[in-house]
Every structure is written in C-alpha cells, then in structure tokens.
Amino acid sequence: MAQKAIVLDEQAIRRALTRIAHEIIEKNKGIEDCVLVGIKTRGIYLAKRLAEKITQIEDSAIAVGELDITLYRDDLTKKTKDSEPLVKGSNIPLDITNKKVILVDDVLFTGRTVRAGLDALMDIGRPAQIQLAVLVDRGHRELPIRADFVGKNIPTASSEKIVVELEEKDDIDQVSIFEK
C-alpha cells in the first residue's frame, strides 16, 4: 500500500474533536446522563480526548467506557494459537440503562463495526438513546447506519484505505489515504 495523501494532521484532528465535543453538548443540552463509549482500539482514545474537551467546556466530567466488539463481528477472525478470537474485554464504569450513550469510533465505513457495537451495548444494558461519533466517515455503507457527529467526511474509492494514527497508539496524530 502506498500513501496517497494525509487528509488530517494533528491540528485538524484536534479541531474536529473540539467541534464534535461542542456538538455533543449542544445536541444533548449538556452532558447529564451521557456516557462516551469508545470502540476498541482507536475509538477509546478518541472517546477519552472527547471527554477531556467536554470536561473543559462544561466544567463537569463525563463517564468514558471501552467496548470490545470482537465476539459481535459478523466477520469474526481467529487471532490466537488455538484458533479462538482474541477478546480484549469491555470496561464500562457504570450502568448504561436509561443513559444517552455516545458510541465513538475512528472510521465509519460499511457500518458493520457500528452494528457490532450496538449489539454489544444492548447486551450490557438498555440505553435511552445511542448516538454515534466518528472521526472520519468515508462512505461505502452496507448497512443503514449514519453518524450523528462526524469529524470529516472523506469520500473514497473502493481501492483506497483510510488509516487513522493516534499518538496514544502510533506516536503520531494523522489520518491518511492509502492506495491498495
């Protein structure tokens, strides 16, 4: 794969997350009964960054959880030596029943990851509402899923791949398009 372009740099990611944080607060008329839940792996880092920004804006903390959707994938891949799926575990620090859950992920593509996330959340509790926040929406949906909060829409060709790199995992903040 060859890198075609960097579409978001560190500043652009920071601005997009700041805007999403403001939109979350505005849509929910504050953060009462709201919980951010990041889909492993990069969604968790984005959820934590959003929580920091929301806390700065609202002067009040918002709960953050981690969601592992491995067992909910319809394209489950075996990752361990004994051909079992590699499960990293979910960690949601409070009961999500009757809460507004903002599911956070890095890229919205076919919608299958989000569908798996919705199934996982429903097994954990019964939220009053689930909203979706993504850093990048690249199109090519296979399921009728739409994000409530989008950092950047990046129309792509099927032959392209969006790669999100975050400081916490990759030592750099950037979003790139690669040609397959």
Side-chain angles (χ1 to χ4, degrees):
M1 280 193 322
Q3 186 179 43
K4 189 172 173 182
I6 296 174
V7 289
L8 293 173
D9 61 10
E10 182 180 353
Q11 280 188 320
I13 291 171
R14 188 173 53 251
R15 284 191 299 267
L17 291 176
T18 299
R19 183 174 34 77
I20 291 171
H22 281 282
E23 289 173 359
I24 288 170
I25 294 164
E26 184 177 343
K27 179 173 182 152
N28 293 292
K29 298 176 176 61
I31 56 168
E32 186 177 343
D33 291 326
C34 289
V35 180
L36 294 169
V37 176
I39 295 176
K40 292 196 177 206
T41 296
R42 286 170 184 79
I44 294 166
Y45 304 128
L46 295 171
K48 288 177 179 177
R49 290 184 191 190
L50 284 169
E52 288 174 17
K53 290 186 181 300
I54 289 170
T55 299
Q56 290 170 0
I57 297 163
E58 288 290 290
D59 201 26
S60 181
I62 184 170
V64 179
E66 302 177 1
L67 191 64
D68 183 358
I69 60 162
T70 304
L71 295 177
Y72 295 88
R73 295 290 308 212
D74 58 6
D75 59 349
L76 186 64
T77 54
K78 310 289 191 223
K79 301 275 187 168
T80 62
K81 289 183 279 187
D82 55 358
S83 295
E84 292 298 317
L86 181 62
V87 179
K88 299 171 188 155
S90 295
N91 178 18
I92 299 180
L94 70 154
D95 184 7
I96 61 170
T97 301
N98 296 320
K99 302 285 186 200
K100 294 178 190 171
V101 174
I102 298 99
L103 191 60
V104 182
D105 202 9
D106 55 353
V107 178
L108 178 55
F109 182 32
T110 62
R112 293 183 181 282
T113 298
V114 174
R115 186 214 43 88
L118 295 172
D119 289 347
L121 283 173
M122 297 309 276
D123 278 354
I124 293 170
R126 175 73 167 82
Q129 186 178 42
I130 300 174
Q131 300 165 14
L132 176 61
V134 296
L135 181 60
V136 174
D137 183 344
R138 66 168 286 191
H140 302 280
R141 216 76 74 240
E142 294 175 3
L143 300 172
I145 291 174
R146 176 188 54 81
D148 298 280
F149 314 103
V150 178
K152 185 164 181 74
N153 287 293
I154 303 173
T156 59
S158 298
S159 63
E160 295 173 326
K161 179 179 173 133
I162 295 284
V163 176
V164 174
E165 296 172 288
L166 298 176
E167 182 73 36
E168 296 89 339
K169 177 107 176 126
D170 310 298
D171 298 323
I172 189 170
D173 277 347
Q174 71 181 22
V175 177
S176 307
I177 297 179
F178 282 78
E179 192 71 41
K180 289 183 183 177

